[in-house]
């Protein structure tokens, strides 16, 4: 059975990727990064999602040293998580420096080790928050780089970076996920990481809007 590594955060997008990869016939190898994010609740939700999909192995990799780099409201307690959309032109403070480049490098290394032919990541360039590492140019370029940097890539067993949500709005992602019976009740999106979502941060607002437009009810609890 063909294998895929899924970068699984426990959020809505990465959980949708689990459903898509499964639907495409892949054996799922979710990989979760503990990067010192404030919302460490994510890691617990990722475990529940992995369990729901009945995977053989869910690897959780500790890269909490990223908070030694800092520079993000998600990893640095001295930077406030914004509640309102900041200046549209600016990259928001929730941006984690080079996060997806780091994630994809590690996920590709893991893919090579287990002989997976694909790495799924739930980035979208449509409803994204202005993060440069969510753009198709980046994914394409990273895909090239990974195959230049790995044994798999240079021996003809190329690793494909799959970003199936790249051109979908949040609404479309949710519609696809509901169709595939993705367990959204197990996901978390709030940047504040409490038991109940705040409903106010950028991520909560995007999620709520997506469910509303998809004509569905968000199954997670809000304050
Ligand atoms: Zn929130």
């Amino acid at each position: 059975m063909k294998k895929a590594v899924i970068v699984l955060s426990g959020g809505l997008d990465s959980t949708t990727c689990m459903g898509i990869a499964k639907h495409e016939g892949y054996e799922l190898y979710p990989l979760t990064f503990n990067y010192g994010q404030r919302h460490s609740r994510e890691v617990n939700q990722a475990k529940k999602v992995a369990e729901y999909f009945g995977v053989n192995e869910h690897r959780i990799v500790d890269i909490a040293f990223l908070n030694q780099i800092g520079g993000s409201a998600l990893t640095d307690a001295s930077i406030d998580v914004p509640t309102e959309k900041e200046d549209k032109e600016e990259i928001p403070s929730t941006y984690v420096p080079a996060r997806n480049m780091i994630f994809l490098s590690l996920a590709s290394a893991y893919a090579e080790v287990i002989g997976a032919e694909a790495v799924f990541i739930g980035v979208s360039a449509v409803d994204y928050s202005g993060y440069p590492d969510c753009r198709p140019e980046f994914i394409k370029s990273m895909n090239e780089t990974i195959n230049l940097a790995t044994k798999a890539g240079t021996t003809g067993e190329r690793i494909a970076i799959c970003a199936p949500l790249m051109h979908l709005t949040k609404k479309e992602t949710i519609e696809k996920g509901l169709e595939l019976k993705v367990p959204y009740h197990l996901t978390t999106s709030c940047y504040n990481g409490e038991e109940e979502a705040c409903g106010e941060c950028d991520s909560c607002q995007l999620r709520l809007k997506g469910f509303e437009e998809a004509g569905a009810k968000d199954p997670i609890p809000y304050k």
Side-chain angles (χ1 to χ4, degrees):
M1 198 178 190
K2 57 182 184 173
K3 299 174 180 174
V5 172
I6 322 293
V7 178
L8 178 65
S9 70
L12 184 146
D13 296 328
S14 64
T15 301
T16 305
C17 282
M18 290 282 282
I20 293 171
K22 188 185 170 200
H23 184 69
E24 289 180 7
Y26 286 99
E27 186 179 354
L28 308 177
Y29 285 83
L31 180 64
T32 298
F33 296 110
N34 185 357
Y35 60 95
Q37 61 271 53
R38 283 188 183 186
H39 45 316
S40 60
R41 189 170 171 271
E42 273 191 355
V43 177
N44 289 327
Q45 298 310 111
K47 283 183 195 162
K48 290 180 192 167
V49 169
E51 205 173 293
Y52 179 91
F53 279 92
V55 303
N56 289 325
E57 188 178 5
H58 175 208
R59 197 159 293 198
I60 297 165
V61 176
D62 188 8
I63 53 165
F65 58 82
L66 270 195
N67 65 14
Q68 292 171 16
I69 305 284
S72 170
L74 296 189
T75 55
D76 187 336
S78 68
I79 304 175
D80 288 331
V81 172
T83 51
E84 276 168 46
K85 194 87 187 144
E86 297 166 68
D87 188 338
K88 279 266 182 201
E89 299 297 307
E90 275 196 28
I91 292 170
S93 61
T94 49
Y95 164 69
V96 178
R99 176 171 57 186
N100 288 338
M101 187 164 75
I102 296 164
F103 282 9
L104 286 174
S105 301
L106 295 168
S108 304
Y110 183 46
E112 178 166 72
V113 171
I114 63 170
E117 60 190 70
V119 172
F120 280 72
I121 185 160
V123 296
S124 168
V126 183
D127 274 345
Y128 79 131
S129 307
Y131 301 147
D133 54 356
C134 289
R135 296 175 302 160
E137 300 93 302
F138 163 69
I139 296 296
K140 187 164 175 276
S141 157
M142 195 64 191
N143 206 157
E144 281 309 305
T145 300
I146 277 160
N147 285 295
L148 289 170
T150 53
K151 184 176 145 199
T154 51
T155 53
E157 292 173 6
R158 286 178 64 89
I159 297 166
I161 307 285
C162 304
L165 314 180
M166 182 57 84
H167 302 291
L168 303 186
T169 61
K170 199 60 98 185
K171 166 187 179 267
E172 290 165 336
T173 293
I174 290 168
E175 284 172 346
K176 188 164 222 23
L178 292 173
E179 202 184 294
L180 297 173
K181 305 211 176 350
V182 163
Y184 286 136
H185 63 287
L186 299 176
T187 64
T188 180
S189 300
C190 184
Y191 284 146
N192 292 295
E194 283 159 34
E195 203 55 43
E196 295 178 324
C198 77
E200 282 169 6
C201 72
D202 211 32
S203 183
C204 277
Q205 286 187 31
L206 196 55
R207 176 180 174 126
L208 283 167
K209 186 170 156 273
F211 271 98
E212 195 185 314
E213 289 175 1
K217 194 186 175 309
D218 189 346
I220 64 164
Y222 283 88
K223 276 184 185 162

